[in-house]
Amino acid sequence: MIILLIYVAIFVGSFFLVRFGVERVFSKRADFTSLKTVTFGDESAVRPNRWASVISVITIFLLWGAFTGSKWAPVHAPGPFIGDTTLTYTLEAEDGTTDDATITLRVHKYGEAPELPVVEPGEGFAKNDAAIVSAGRSKVVLFDKNDEAKRKAGAKVVAIDGKPVSIGSAVNVAAGRVALTDKGAISITPQGGLQMEPIWLPPPEKVVERFVEISTEGYQGFTLWEHLGFSLFRVIAGFLLGAIVGIPLGYAMGLSNWVRGWADPIVEFMRPVPPLALIPLVIIWAGIGEAGKIILLFLAALWIMAIAARAGVSGVNITKVHAAYSLGASKFQLMRHVIVPNSLPEIFTGARVAMGVCWGTVVAAELVAAEKGAGMMIMVAARFQLTDIVLMGIILIGIIGYSIDILMRSAERYLVPWKGRS
């Protein structure tokens, strides 16, 4: 919640700074979009603000670094307590008498192995104790190991630093959060701060270090580029097969009421079925080799491309069709010069969606008996809690997917320059 509020605050502040500051000084656009009369809801007038994109990416990395204690971040969120701290517990013996003892707790960084603090036991029936615990972890202290009054005999802790406590309850003290277990032992959780532990979310530099390491040494017998290359090959092969079959099917559904009636139940039935739900069936039919993975990606792209092509044909302006017929165009000429050009924008949109779905599906497909691939790399790393490799794989998949989307948008602008124009 704190991270979300900070993100929203940066978003709002950046918006006003850019809109009423930077843009007025540096931005002097004179292109068609800036000169046209714009009305609210005109999608063609909405373009990504580059300042917003840059600030958004920087904000994400700054928040990532700030809440993981990164050396690259200029500011950090409060981190976990590291060092020695103490708490005093009040022990009530079976006869009702009470005595105080102190627990010295040494909190260390994850992965370190410090020595146990040396403390004097004291003179009462409650003796002083010492314990060590890793930052962000809890420690159960069996306080009566050296006490004269034992829990088995009816002794119990009744207060921590003067605050009443009982089994099942907890109190917050200077040393952190202290509770009593079901058997009356003391459970201590030192102050954790707001930073996340590396096992849950490592800092950016650790992910970059892992990227450099795997790029040079490889992982699980294959280089990083081989893992990514096989994933990319599977995605492209499955997508192209889906497009080769789906686009003609969509055209046929848009041009023939018989084909549409015949194929529409199948397409609409398969469209909402998640590709991941087909994995068991594909394994039964095609096994766990490359063929099965490509078939799964083919099915992921097929229905999207068919619906996109059908929507493109259905959305052709009827006046253009009438105009072509009035000029004596044949059906082939109508298809070549009217239907295909006007349906391409919808097909490109469907292709971008299908490519994204294929990328999401290939990771899951590679979780099943794959020897190489980005998904396999993430799966193996997750088994050993190597979060830095998992994050590295996710980031690389996102970068490659985003790069493909940029290439497809560039191709769309080049091949379909008439998009958005009547």
Side-chain angles (χ1 to χ4, degrees):
M1 180 59 71
I2 294 177
I3 298 177
L4 177 61
L5 292 176
I6 295 175
Y7 184 83
V8 172
I10 295 176
F11 168 80
V12 174
S14 301
F15 172 79
F16 285 103
L17 177 64
V18 172
R19 181 57 56 89
F20 301 106
V22 177
E23 285 188 347
R24 291 189 177 184
V25 177
F26 296 102
S27 180
K28 295 182 180 180
R29 281 170 44 189
D31 57 3
F32 173 77
T33 301
S34 64
L35 298 176
K36 67 182 286 192
T37 301
V38 179
T39 58
F40 182 76
D42 185 359
E43 183 185 3
S44 64
V46 178
R47 294 183 178 179
N49 186 297
R50 298 305 177 192
W51 284 99
S53 298
V54 172
I55 295 174
S56 175
V57 173
I58 293 176
T59 298
I60 291 173
F61 277 93
L62 284 178
L63 289 176
W64 180 9
F67 284 90
T68 55
S70 172
K71 298 177 182 178
W72 296 353
V75 295
H76 294 149
F81 173 80
I82 303 292
D84 291 349
T85 184
T86 61
L87 62 90
T88 300
Y89 68 92
T90 301
L91 183 65
E92 182 181 288
E94 58 272 17
D95 59 2
T97 58
T98 60
D99 189 20
D100 292 341
T102 299
I103 298 176
T104 301
L105 189 69
R106 178 160 294 171
V107 186
H108 61 90
K109 293 182 179 179
Y110 178 79
E112 295 181 350
E115 295 181 355
L116 188 70
V118 178
V119 297
E120 294 294 332
E123 298 180 355
F125 62 81
K127 306 299 183 181
N128 298 330
D129 291 279
I132 57 175
V133 62
S134 176
R137 299 290 193 271
S138 297
K139 179 70 175 182
V140 175
V141 179
L142 304 178
F143 59 89
D144 58 345
K145 269 190 173 182
N146 61 346
D147 289 349
E148 296 176 3
K150 306 294 184 180
R151 284 176 292 159
K152 291 183 179 180
K156 60 182 178 179
V157 174
V158 295
I160 301 292
D161 283 352
K163 296 182 178 181
V165 68
S166 59
I167 292 178
S169 65
V171 294
N172 292 316
V173 295
R177 186 175 182 273
V178 183
L180 296 184
T181 66
D182 293 340
K183 296 184 177 181
I186 298 177
S187 176
I188 309 172
T189 305
Q191 297 289 349
L194 296 177
Q195 292 186 17
M196 300 188 69
E197 296 182 54
I199 193 173
W200 308 124
L201 183 65
E205 62 266 25
K206 295 298 182 182
V207 178
V208 173
E209 290 174 8
R210 184 67 77 169
F211 170 75
V212 174
E213 175 188 335
I214 296 180
S215 296
T216 55
E217 301 177 8
Y219 187 69
Q220 294 293 312
F222 296 93
T223 66
L224 175 63
W225 313 116
E226 286 178 318
H227 284 298
L228 297 176
F230 272 92
S231 294
L232 187 61
F233 165 75
R234 291 161 182 156
V235 168
I236 293 177
F239 168 77
L240 289 178
L241 289 175
I244 291 172
V245 177
I247 293 175
L249 176 61
Y251 275 136
M253 293 174 65
L255 297 172
S256 170
N257 56 2
W258 173 260
V259 176
R260 184 159 187 171
W262 185 276
D264 196 63
I266 301 173
V267 173
E268 294 299 334
F269 175 82
M270 293 300 300
R271 179 180 61 84
V273 176
L276 302 185
L278 302 175
I279 291 180
L281 193 60
V282 171
I283 292 176
I284 294 173
W285 287 349
I288 59 176
E290 291 299 319
K293 296 176 178 60
I294 293 176
I295 289 174
L296 181 65
L297 297 173
F298 160 73
L299 294 174
L302 173 62
W303 318 116
I304 298 175
M305 297 305 300
I307 292 173
R310 185 189 68 187
V313 174
S314 302
V316 175
N317 195 328
I318 192 63
T319 58
K320 296 181 180 181
V321 177
H322 291 163
Y325 275 132
S326 67
L327 294 174
S330 64
K331 288 186 176 181
F332 176 79
Q333 291 173 324
L334 178 69
M335 189 74 179
R336 167 67 178 82
H337 296 286
V338 178
I339 293 177
V340 170
N342 284 274
S343 63
L344 282 179
E346 288 283 354
I347 291 176
F348 268 98
T349 300
R352 290 169 58 190
V353 174
M355 183 61 74
V357 173
C358 286
W359 260 117
T361 304
V362 72
V363 174
E366 290 172 347
L367 297 180
V368 182
E371 294 182 356
K372 44 191 171 292
M376 171 267 177
M377 183 173 61
I378 292 174
M379 176 195 66
V380 174
R383 289 178 180 173
F384 297 98
Q385 294 186 330
L386 300 175
T387 316
D388 46 3
I389 298 181
V390 174
L391 273 176
M392 181 200 70
I394 293 173
I395 292 173
L396 289 175
I397 289 172
I399 291 175
I400 294 175
Y402 185 47
S403 301
I404 292 175
D405 187 73
I406 291 176
L407 291 175
M408 295 182 72
R409 278 188 283 180
S410 301
E412 183 181 18
R413 285 194 296 268
Y414 178 75
L415 298 174
V416 193
W418 56 85
K419 180 182 180 181
R421 302 180 184 179
S422 301

